[in-house]
Amino acid sequence: MEHQPARSEYKKVWSALSTTEEQARLHVIGVTEEAALEATGQETLKFLQESVGIGKEDVVLEIGCGIGRVGKVVAPLCQKWIGCDVAANMLSLTAQRLKDLPNVELVEISGYNLSSVVDASVDVVYCTVVFMHLEPWDRYNYVLEAFRVLRPNGRVYVDNINLCSDGGWKVFEDHRAFSPANRPPHITHNSTPQEIETYLRRAGFSDVQLRTDDDWVRASGIKAP
Ligand SMILES: C[S@@+](CC[C@H](N)C(=O)[O-])C[C@H]1O[C@@H](n2cnc3c(N)ncnc32)[C@H](O)[C@@H]1O
């Protein structure tokens, strides 16, 4: 097998996974057809609405926005949608797909922080289908960064596949079949609900809520004033 970048070399890993639009779509959510992509975006929007809510005055920031799967349905509902991603290829595809939306800003980030986003400037930060590709320390770094960039009363949402669910355990077992030398750097690492809850609490979020009614853990919290 040819030499692979380390998992934490996110820019290298994800630039290589998004060299064509088809590859990018497949690695984002496993579907290529636009209608299917939009349907999954609506599903994620439903979870956001039921946890953090999206209001028309809100500045909303997504960490790891991919090709704007979720941004396409969130941006029309808020004041500004900021899509951040480590891969320039992903951001170019988002720019094309969302070109008719006037309130979209795209930011290429290092993969470890939101350093170009100013403190207390955002109302909602969310990060979906990204934590499974990150090292645990980088998950927590993003939770800390979310706390920093949120305004008082700002809301955060993060998710991962739940290791403690039957579906999450199946993913774990399937991936155990890879020999250590052949594990792809972006291979899914699930989270326990306790891991995600701990990050939100340790970062300072209040009113931490966990949803575990399917194979996912979905967590939200508020930055108390
Ligand atoms: C599976 S895709 C999900 C994209 C999008 N959140 C969605 O749900 O459609 C993972 C995305 O996270 C991005 N990503 C990976 N590592 C990252 C990191 N360390 N920081 C920011 N983005 C990252 C990838 O480039 C990719 O666009």
Side-chain angles (χ1 to χ4, degrees):
M1 185 172 213
E2 73 192 53
H3 175 72
Q4 300 195 72
R7 180 178 183 81
S8 57
E9 291 180 280
Y10 303 113
K11 205 171 273 293
K12 267 193 198 160
V13 171
W14 285 89
S15 298
L17 295 175
S18 55
T19 52
T20 67
E21 181 163 5
E22 190 186 16
Q23 281 300 309
R25 285 176 180 238
L26 283 172
H27 283 108
V28 158
I29 200 76
V31 298
T32 54
E33 203 218 326
E34 188 62 28
L37 198 67
E38 288 211 27
T40 69
Q42 290 291 352
E43 279 171 29
T44 306
L45 173 61
K46 183 169 160 288
F47 288 116
L48 290 174
Q49 292 288 34
E50 289 172 359
S51 53
V52 288
I54 305 290
K56 62 181 190 320
E57 300 303 325
D58 287 335
V59 173
V60 180
L61 182 148
E62 179 170 355
I63 301 171
C65 68
I67 60 173
R69 177 183 73 88
V70 185
K72 192 168 181 183
V73 293
V74 168
L77 306 179
C78 62
Q79 185 202 131
K80 181 157 82 163
W81 178 80
I82 306 170
C84 302
D85 204 282
V86 74
N89 297 336
M90 291 287 189
L91 291 170
S92 303
L93 292 164
T94 300
Q96 276 170 35
R97 292 189 63 248
L98 276 56
K99 64 180 183 320
D100 295 331
L101 294 169
N103 60 336
V104 166
E105 185 181 314
L106 299 176
V107 182
E108 184 178 338
I109 54 179
S110 67
Y112 312 104
N113 56 53
L114 300 172
S115 58
S116 57
V117 181
V118 298
D119 295 1
S121 60
V122 174
D123 301 289
V124 175
V125 173
Y126 68 92
C127 184
T128 183
V129 206
V130 175
F131 271 22
M132 64 273 285
H133 304 298
L134 304 185
E135 299 272 16
W137 305 283
D138 300 322
R139 295 173 185 167
Y140 182 56
N141 281 332
Y142 275 136
V143 173
L144 286 171
E145 280 290 79
F147 193 87
R148 179 183 66 76
V149 304
L150 281 170
R151 296 187 171 115
N153 284 319
R155 292 95 74 199
V156 68
Y157 167 98
V158 298
D159 62 30
N160 197 352
I161 298 175
N162 183 356
L163 178 70
C164 304
S165 68
D166 289 344
W169 189 251
K170 182 173 185 317
V171 172
F172 181 84
E173 284 287 19
D174 289 349
H175 288 181
R176 195 162 65 88
F178 281 92
S179 71
N182 288 331
R183 284 178 194 139
H186 62 289
I187 197 168
T188 291
H189 285 195
N190 303 339
S191 288
T192 63
Q194 288 82 356
E195 177 201 346
I196 302 292
E197 182 178 14
T198 300
Y199 294 159
L200 265 61
R201 290 196 191 285
R202 291 274 177 186
F205 285 104
S206 309
D207 197 16
V208 174
Q209 307 278 338
L210 290 185
R211 190 168 166 174
T212 56
D213 48 353
D214 56 11
D215 289 333
W216 287 68
V217 48
R218 298 182 174 88
S220 60
I222 296 178
K223 177 175 175 176

